[in-house]
Amino acid sequence: KAGVTQTPRYLIKTRGQQVTLSCSPISGHRSVSWYQQTPGQGLQFLFEYFSETQRNKGNFPGRFSGRQFSNSRSEMNVSTLELGDSALYLCASSLLGLNTEAFFGQGTRLTVV
Amino acid sequence: AQSVTQLDSQVPVFEEAPVELRCNYSSSVSVYLFWYVQYPNQGLQLLLKYLSGSTLVESINGFEAEFNKSQTSFHLRKPSVHISDTAEYFCAVSTFSGGYNKLIFGAGTRLAVHP
């Protein structure tokens, strides 16, 4: 079966702009989680959506938001981009949530200039 | 606050040698434990997990990890490594805190296998 698909793979944006990243989970998976990976901070949990509802969240400012659609596809939005938002953004899907196996996409590499 | 500490940022080792990647966590509540592997320019792949039951868990490619509750550790081991094991390895803890489930990752250990 198809894996987790993230689009786009690479993105360059300017400070102050906003960006939307997309994640299509494995068919049948209802949980989608988002992570930010940077060399300095490592992997940090952003939030988790389950059945269109944000169920869990990490410690990121309100500029980071997300949503999940009825087909479980998820989008993450970052507004008013800062240079420090440059990172690899990873999406993971799982059948039931954070306590079960998560399957990761290849990520979207965002560069803010 | 919960945290995950991977004690070594880099581990160089020769091919066919044994290796241990160390992971300690801090949590006052029950946790689920995971090891993920990340190859260059790829996402993360689950290597193995501990949810309950036997404290020794194994993966299909020869890695194993042992959950030690008293030492709050979940070290990853392999008796004989291959060049293809070169990658970054992340230990992760899933726990419930502040009304939320959270998945917390360690900083990662870069395993470099040399011929």
Side-chain angles (χ1 to χ4, degrees):
Chain A
K1 56 184 175 182
V4 178
T5 303
Q6 289 187 249
T7 56
R9 286 292 311 277
Y10 302 92
L11 207 49
I12 300 175
K13 289 287 189 179
T14 306
R15 270 182 303 175
Q17 287 187 312
Q18 74 165 14
V19 67
T20 299
L21 312 182
S22 178
C23 173
S24 293
I26 291 171
S27 177
H29 285 192
R30 295 164 64 188
S31 168
V32 175
S33 304
W34 288 90
Y35 302 84
Q36 182 195 65
Q37 186 177 26
T38 60
Q41 300 297 318
L43 271 160
Q44 292 186 287
F45 172 65
L46 281 152
F47 31 65
E48 182 211 5
Y49 284 86
F50 187 89
S51 294
E52 302 179 64
T53 301
Q54 186 181 89
R55 190 165 68 169
N56 296 288
K57 67 178 184 178
N59 300 318
F60 277 79
R63 299 186 298 108
F64 292 82
S65 63
R67 58 178 175 168
Q68 187 179 34
F69 302 96
S70 58
N71 62 357
S72 292
R73 189 178 72 84
S74 177
E75 289 182 346
M76 189 191 88
N77 185 275
V78 187
S79 62
T80 320
L81 283 166
E82 300 176 1
L83 294 179
D85 296 333
S86 295
L88 179 67
Y89 289 89
L90 293 166
C91 160
S93 81
S94 63
L95 201 56
L96 296 174
L98 294 178
N99 294 339
T100 57
E101 179 176 358
F103 296 82
F104 282 78
Q106 290 189 298
T108 294
R109 185 164 296 280
L110 171 66
T111 302
V112 182
V113 298
Chain B
Q2 288 77 20
S3 66
V4 178
T5 303
Q6 290 185 244
L7 295 153
D8 307 293
S9 60
Q10 295 186 65
V11 173
V13 65
F14 287 109
E15 194 173 18
E16 297 183 7
V19 71
E20 178 180 76
L21 307 183
R22 297 177 291 171
C23 172
N24 286 90
Y25 67 93
S26 66
S27 176
S28 58
V29 299
S30 297
V31 297
Y32 299 122
L33 298 158
F34 306 85
W35 275 99
Y36 284 87
V37 58
Q38 186 177 33
Y39 298 101
N41 299 314
Q42 298 289 322
L44 277 71
Q45 300 172 31
L46 181 69
L47 198 55
L48 42 76
K49 61 187 176 186
Y50 171 78
L51 302 181
S52 63
S54 173
T55 57
L56 183 65
V57 290
E58 300 176 350
S59 72
I60 57 173
N61 56 358
F63 283 95
E64 64 178 31
E66 185 161 18
F67 169 56
N68 188 319
K69 187 174 182 179
S70 63
Q71 297 186 7
T72 59
S73 67
F74 191 55
H75 301 332
L76 180 70
R77 290 187 282 263
K78 188 171 185 179
S80 175
V81 294
H82 303 288
I83 296 286
S84 59
D85 293 324
T86 295
E88 188 142 23
Y89 293 79
F90 293 92
C91 180
V93 168
S94 173
T95 185
F96 188 80
S97 170
Y100 294 97
N101 275 309
K102 293 182 180 178
L103 188 60
I104 303 168
F105 284 88
T109 297
R110 189 170 299 276
L111 176 64
V113 182
H114 301 284

